[in-house]
């Protein structure tokens, strides 16, 4: 039976109508006609009967097997338009007006952080990403997304997996490129015994890692794993959140700096280690609030050692349980928020009830962003500007930054 693809889901599957209801089709595009076996409402290996003019040959040899990318079969122009439309449709679904938007797309081979999976096998080890819709690990030596430095460390990850991995579970290797070289935060596997600890420390020296930690225990800290945030240098705790590419981070920070304008007192909520707070301190006093004490400590140290910044204060606070209240928000001319995928429902409700005149909302989830935007617009805010940022090339992941004023 043939199926015509009507649209893409939020996960980038093609969506078609079948005799028994909706059918999701992997690696399909709107307007295409496909055929294939439907299993649990999904066609995993479709045959493309009528291709879309937006269909292109996937540039990566791992695309069919690796689950890291889902959009390599679509043209760059289509993908950019689809990601902007995902934001547009999330707003329209709540009856909200959509401002003009632009998109900033990170180049290939620009991802500076990634989490590899390591697993022992009968024949040795596997290190890579998960296969599409599977827990099988696929090796990706020719990945087009990652910085070359990240791929260069895969031999070390094989050695570490052989040393401390198991055939029953996986090790997650969070690899990040810092100003001082690569750092690895491993989790899973066995806690290293003294002999394994020494061997892992030796691997850190052999592969010239800046830092290596395992299950939150630091194995080796050979150099400070510095990240540059504006004029400040910060050493985040192992495995701390970081924007995926320098390009994407620069686009988001530039938007935030322009959006807060001449504000003299700014709050940065869900501040992490200072991605926004420290560059904003070049033009305003900043109060940075974050739930992790290790992150706020790193931010504070970065500010204290920097030159030419306005005052930055930090506060460790769970903003989901204890959002800043209207009287606290009244101290600021502008606020920047960058919450996780769940959004900032409780904090946004307090912002809506406050006299705050200007808010920059950074989000990695158009659906929760639209929910928060509705609350703000109902409180008298206007959604003025919107920037979509594609740091995760060929994925369904969408990030954005928006300016609300009143």
């Amino acid at each position: 039976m043939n199926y015509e693809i009507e649209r893409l889901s939020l996960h980038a599957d093609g969506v078609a109508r079948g005799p028994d209801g909706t059918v999701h089709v992997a690696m399909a595009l709107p307007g295409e006609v496909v055929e294939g076996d439907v299993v649990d409402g999904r066609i995993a290996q479709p045959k493309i009967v009528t291709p879309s003019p937006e269909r292109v040959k996937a540039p990566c040899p791992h695309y069919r097997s690796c689950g890291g990318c889902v959009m390599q079969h679509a043209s760059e122009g289509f993908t950019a338009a689809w990601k902007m439309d995902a934001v547009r449709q999330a707003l329209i679904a709540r009856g909200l007006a959509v401002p003009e938007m632009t998109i900033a797309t990170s180049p290939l081979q620009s991802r500076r952080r990634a989490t590899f999976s390591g697993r022992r096998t009968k024949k040795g080890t596997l290190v890579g990403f998960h296969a599409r819709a599977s827990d099988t690990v696929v090796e990706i030596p020719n990945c087009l997304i990652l910085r070359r430095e990240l791929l260069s460390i895969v031999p070390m990850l094989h050695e570490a997996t052989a040393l401390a991995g198991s055939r029953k579970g996986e090790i997650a290797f969070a690899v990040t490129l810092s100003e001082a070289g690569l750092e690895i935060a491993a989790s899973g596997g066995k806690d290293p015994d003294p002999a394994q600890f020494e061997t892992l420390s030796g691997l850190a020296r052999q592969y010239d890692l800046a830092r290596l930690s395992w299950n939150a225990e630091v194995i080796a800290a050979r150099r400070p794993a510095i990240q540059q945030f504006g004029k400040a240098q910060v050493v985040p705790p192992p495995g701390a959140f970081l924007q995926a590419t320098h390009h994407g981070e620069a686009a988001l920070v530039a938007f935030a700096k322009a959006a807060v304008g001449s504000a003299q007192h700014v709050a940065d909520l869900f501040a992490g280690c200072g991605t926004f707070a420290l560059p904003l301190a070049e033009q305003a006093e900043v109060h940075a609030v974050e739930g992790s004490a290790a992150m706020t400590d790193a931010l504070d140290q970065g500010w204290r050692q920097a030159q030419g910044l306005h005052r930055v204060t930090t506060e460790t606070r769970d903003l989901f349980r204890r959002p800043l209240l209207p009287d606290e928000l009244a101290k600021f001319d502008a606020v920047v928020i960058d919450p996780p995928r769940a959004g900032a429902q409780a904090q946004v409700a307090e912002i809506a009830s406050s006299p705050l005149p200007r808010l920059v909302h950074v989000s990695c989830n158009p659906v929760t962003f639209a929910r928060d935007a509705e609350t703000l617009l109902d409180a008298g805010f206007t959604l003025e500007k919107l920037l979509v940022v594609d740091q995760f090339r060929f994925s369904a992941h969408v990030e954005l930054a928006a300016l609300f004023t009143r």
Side-chain angles (χ1 to χ4, degrees), residues 264-279:
Q264 296 299 301
H265 299 91
V266 178
D268 179 14
L269 311 183
F270 306 94
C273 293
T275 299
F276 294 102
L278 292 166

Side-chain angles (χ1 to χ4, degrees), residues 4 7-8 52 57 64 70 76 103 107 154 158 164 197 202 230 251 255 257 276 283 285 295 307 353 388 392-393 400:
E4 182 174 355
R7 59 184 175 85
L8 296 189
S52 164
K57 181 180 179 181
R64 282 281 171 183
V70 295
E76 289 189 13
I103 187 167
V154 169
H158 277 284
F197 191 102
F255 182 95
K257 291 180 74 173
F276 294 102
Q283 62 194 62
E285 290 190 359
M295 290 190 183
Q307 300 293 321
S353 299
V388 177
F392 295 86
R393 289 286 294 268
L400 62 95

Side-chain angles (χ1 to χ4, degrees), residues 178-202:
S178 76
E179 298 290 328
L182 291 174
E183 72 157 316
I184 298 173
S187 59
K190 300 172 288 187
D191 287 329
D193 60 29
Q196 291 171 328
F197 191 102
E198 183 59 32
T199 301
L200 288 168
S201 181

